[in-house]
Amino acid sequence: MQVVFKIVRQDQNAASRVESYSLEVEPGTTILDCLNRIKWEQDGTLAYRKNCRNTICGSCSMRINGRSALACKENVGSEVARFAPDAEIPEITIAPMGNMPVIKDLVVDMSSFWANLKAVDPYVSTASRQIPEREFLQSPEERDKLNQTGNCIMCGACYSECNAREVNPNFVGPHALAKAYRMVEDSRDDRSDDRLDKYNQSTDGVWGCTRCYYCNAVCPMEVAPMDQIGKIKQEILARKTTEVTRSIRHRRTLIDLVKKGGWIDERQFGLQVVANNFRDLGGLISLAPLGVRMLTKRKLPMGFEPSEGVKTVRSLIESVQAFEAQSKR
């Protein structure tokens, strides 16, 4: 079958351009093999990363038809079936990953990716056991808890598609927090409390995740970074009792209000989360301009009516909470 590959090309600090290359290929041919043919047969200046060609190293991550994926894993037939099943001459668009500056063509600078991984200290700490009497052994059950996050190959696909990272340059990214949960769950590590304090920092840590699900959708190894971020949040909510941050209040208040009324009483939500029940004077003052605007536009509700089916909603939430508690035990 004949396929046109539209490749977004770019030199560092220069405007991007799109160049097209036509190939006669079999449906089972991988995108990486197609790029190799383009480079070897048509344009030797094309730049991209590759190594293992077997979904192990993560080097060939790029955007294929608008989503980040491994070029060695995706093939022509599946891409055509997904985006252009009826086209006489189908086109496949290939672009560099997002959230990272382009060095050349499909090669991006991953410095921030690695720096943010380092920021979460993704190493098991054994500082409290300087001279162990034996190896730090784990049971099969303890090790099984690490299997999913241990599958991460650091390809950068989740980081590339992360909306939170795009708008907040201080957010460490889903790849780092997935590794962070591995450290929290590792039975050999002795710094869980310190780690949870660190990952709880404002929107730089777990609370910066917008739960857009893109990281889960594009991960080629089914690590499910968003799920791991959620697990860290649950650990923080379970352990953080002395210092309740705004992020924690947000989560707890949201659940409590929905349990109470079926939906959110916005008056109570602002006062409890932002103003911390009148204990945070700065937060209370920050609500004043919004309150005035709502009053002048007659948008401030004077009362609150619970939603229909509030008992059903409350029952569902309590069932989920009971299930989570039972799972931890």
Side-chain angles (χ1 to χ4, degrees):
M1 62 186 299
Q2 185 179 7
V3 179
V4 174
F5 291 84
K6 303 182 74 172
I7 303 178
V8 178
R9 305 194 60 182
Q10 182 178 350
D11 295 321
Q12 194 170 20
N13 300 321
S16 62
R17 64 190 188 280
V18 178
E19 295 187 3
S20 299
Y21 305 89
S22 179
L23 286 177
E24 189 71 29
V25 296
E26 295 296 324
T29 307
T30 67
I31 301 299
L32 180 58
D33 285 338
C34 294
L35 289 175
N36 286 338
R37 282 189 55 192
I38 291 170
K39 185 175 181 67
W40 297 338
E41 300 171 7
Q42 299 186 33
D43 190 343
T45 67
L46 179 63
Y48 53 94
R49 288 191 174 110
K50 63 174 182 176
N51 192 5
C52 73
R53 301 174 67 180
N54 199 34
T55 324
I56 295 173
C57 71
S59 298
C60 63
S61 185
M62 56 190 69
R63 275 180 169 162
I64 302 171
N65 283 331
R67 81 192 193 288
S68 294
L70 297 178
C72 68
K73 183 179 181 182
E74 307 302 323
N75 61 57
V76 171
S78 62
E79 290 302 311
V80 170
R82 185 179 292 115
F83 293 101
D86 301 321
E88 184 176 349
I89 301 179
E91 296 179 348
I92 295 176
T93 301
I94 303 175
M97 289 194 291
N99 287 328
M100 290 167 277
V102 174
I103 297 176
K104 180 174 173 58
D105 297 339
L106 305 177
V107 179
V108 296
D109 184 350
M110 299 182 70
S111 297
S112 65
F113 175 88
W114 297 116
N116 285 330
L117 177 65
K118 184 179 179 181
V120 302
D121 298 326
Y123 314 104
V124 174
S125 170
T126 56
S128 66
R129 296 165 285 184
Q130 295 292 337
I131 307 177
E133 295 180 359
R134 58 183 177 84
E135 296 176 284
F136 299 134
L137 301 179
Q138 288 183 301
S139 68
E141 293 76 18
E142 290 172 331
R143 183 58 184 84
D144 286 345
K145 294 179 181 179
L146 311 179
N147 288 342
Q148 186 175 20
T149 52
N151 288 336
C152 178
I153 58 176
M154 295 286 110
C155 66
C158 63
Y159 191 80
S160 169
E161 299 300 331
C162 180
N163 287 327
R165 174 68 195 175
E166 185 174 351
V167 299
N168 178 15
N170 295 321
F171 180 56
V172 294
H175 72 300
L177 291 171
K179 285 292 185 183
Y181 179 70
R182 187 194 187 285
M183 296 301 105
V184 171
E185 192 60 52
D186 198 313
S187 61
R188 300 165 298 174
D189 190 76
D190 61 355
R191 294 183 50 219
S192 291
D193 289 334
D194 292 339
R195 291 183 186 280
L196 292 174
D197 285 338
K198 185 173 185 176
Y199 308 151
N200 186 33
Q201 296 300 312
S202 186
T203 55
D204 298 358
V206 293
W207 304 109
C209 173
T210 59
R211 298 179 63 81
C212 67
Y213 204 78
Y214 280 0
C215 58
N216 281 16
V218 301
C219 178
M221 305 305 293
E222 298 183 356
V223 174
M226 191 189 77
D227 294 0
Q228 314 314 321
I229 294 172
K231 293 174 185 176
I232 298 178
K233 289 179 179 179
Q234 291 300 324
E235 291 285 346
I236 291 173
L237 290 168
R239 298 188 184 201
K240 203 71 178 175
T241 57
T242 55
E243 180 188 352
V244 180
T245 63
R246 182 178 293 187
S247 299
I248 293 176
R249 290 199 304 272
H250 185 284
R251 180 71 169 262
R252 290 178 176 173
T253 302
L254 178 68
I255 295 173
D256 290 344
L257 290 178
V258 173
K259 280 179 65 176
K260 182 179 180 180
W263 51 37
I264 300 173
D265 183 345
E266 294 178 350
R267 304 167 306 162
Q268 293 294 325
F269 190 76
L271 291 175
Q272 293 183 31
V273 175
V274 181
N276 194 14
N277 289 309
F278 299 98
R279 287 190 290 270
D280 185 344
L281 183 59
L284 182 61
I285 293 173
S286 70
L287 289 173
L290 175 62
V292 171
R293 290 197 300 273
M294 292 178 70
L295 280 171
T296 56
K297 295 182 180 296
R298 298 181 180 179
K299 297 291 185 179
L300 186 65
M302 295 296 106
F304 175 79
E305 291 291 335
S307 69
E308 294 183 8
V310 63
K311 292 183 179 179
T312 302
V313 172
R314 185 182 302 122
S315 177
L316 287 171
I317 294 175
E318 290 174 348
S319 296
V320 171
Q321 291 175 330
F323 175 78
E324 290 178 342
Q326 181 65 32
S327 299
K328 289 182 179 179
R329 287 196 292 269

